[in-house]
Amino acid sequence: MNAEKINRSYLETLSFSDLSKLADEYGVDVPENFDRRLLIGELLELIEEGKSSGNENMVISSDSVQDDSENLPSNYNETQISCILRNPVWAFVFWNISESDQAKLKELDDCNIMIRVCILSDDKEIKPVESFEVNASMDTQEQYILLPAGKQFFRFELVYVAGTAGEVLAFSPVITIPQGGQALNDFQPGKDDDYSEVIKLSGINKVLMEQYTNHRHSFAE
């Protein structure tokens, strides 16, 4: 291998296979079930020994050397918004605003950033059936949003509002909310059901009650 600086931080980014190949260059046979942390420690010792003996093919550097990741940009300079479901009720929405868009927004008076939640009839629809907006801060890039119950398809739009003007800066892919069975969705303690006596013998009421008690989500603030 060509001369290069190697430290513990670098070795921890390598897969076990790559670590084994590196060890093989030192003539070390690594068992398949060998502990990865021990292998990294062995490699660090071997490289240090090579350095002490004058073998400069590999030079170990101090862990105090500045990590290149510190020089990475804070964003990728694109305006975009996306979403990950935490569960069928809460959505984790995160976004990024490019430098040019940030500069444009700073020039506007009384400019506010909002997340528009669009409810769609299906995952191919563009025009929302209904929508509502949630205030967002210019100083953050992420927010949890409570989704209305009984809806299946959502899209999130990053918008700005300045006075009476506004514009969509970016929009997310459509997300689909998993839907529970009708029996579970309609279940309420004390509510009469239409199950036959045979179905009741299966214990369905007990199952629905446990699900309602242990897994329903609170909409309280």
Side-chain angles (χ1 to χ4, degrees):
M1 179 179 291
N2 295 330
E4 59 179 304
K5 292 185 178 181
I6 300 176
N7 58 22
R8 179 179 292 274
S9 298
Y10 169 72
L11 293 177
E12 288 178 346
T13 66
L14 300 181
S15 66
F16 184 83
S17 175
D18 290 336
L19 291 171
S20 297
K21 291 177 182 177
L22 187 57
D24 185 60
E25 295 187 17
Y26 280 90
V28 178
D29 186 23
V30 180
E32 292 184 0
N33 59 348
F34 195 71
D35 186 274
R36 187 173 184 276
R37 290 173 297 178
L38 293 178
L39 178 55
I40 290 176
E42 290 290 333
L43 284 170
L44 290 173
E45 291 182 8
L46 289 170
I47 296 170
E48 186 64 39
E49 289 175 3
K51 178 183 176 182
S52 300
S53 63
N55 183 357
E56 296 297 334
N57 286 334
M58 291 186 181
V59 180
I60 183 170
S61 64
S62 170
D63 283 342
S64 63
V65 175
Q66 182 177 3
D67 193 340
D68 290 340
S69 63
E70 295 180 4
N71 298 321
L72 293 175
S74 59
N75 60 61
Y76 294 101
N77 204 26
E78 294 182 3
T79 300
Q80 56 189 359
I81 183 171
S82 193
C83 167
I84 298 175
L85 284 180
R86 179 181 180 184
N87 53 47
V89 173
W90 286 99
F92 178 67
V93 182
F94 52 99
W95 61 90
N96 184 69
I97 302 177
S98 68
E99 293 178 359
S100 59
D101 282 340
Q102 288 185 33
K104 180 177 69 174
L105 296 178
K106 289 179 180 178
E107 294 177 356
L108 299 175
D109 295 329
D110 194 24
C111 180
N112 295 308
I113 293 294
M114 293 186 174
I115 307 301
R116 180 179 295 147
V117 182
C118 300
I119 303 170
L120 311 174
S121 59
D122 61 60
D123 59 352
K124 301 295 190 299
E125 187 59 56
I126 297 177
K127 185 177 180 180
V129 176
E130 56 183 298
S131 65
F132 63 92
E133 295 176 346
V134 178
N135 289 325
S137 172
M138 293 282 285
D139 300 325
T140 62
Q141 294 179 296
E142 58 190 42
Q143 187 163 325
Y144 279 104
I145 294 180
L146 184 64
L147 303 177
K151 309 298 182 182
Q152 188 172 9
F153 303 103
F154 290 86
R155 184 181 67 241
F156 299 90
E157 297 179 349
L158 180 65
V159 303
Y160 78 84
V161 177
T164 58
E167 182 179 329
V168 176
L169 297 171
F171 56 87
S172 74
V174 176
I175 64 168
T176 304
I177 308 298
Q179 300 295 298
Q182 194 64 38
L184 180 59
N185 291 336
D186 294 341
F187 179 81
Q188 295 180 15
K191 180 181 178 181
D192 293 337
D193 57 66
D194 298 327
Y195 301 124
S196 67
E197 294 301 322
V198 174
I199 297 297
K200 290 180 179 179
L201 289 175
S202 69
I204 188 172
N205 285 330
K206 181 179 179 180
V207 172
L208 292 175
M209 176 59 79
E210 289 181 352
Q211 179 73 16
Y212 180 87
T213 302
N214 299 322
H215 301 291
R216 67 187 176 95
H217 301 283
S218 173
F219 284 83
E221 292 292 338

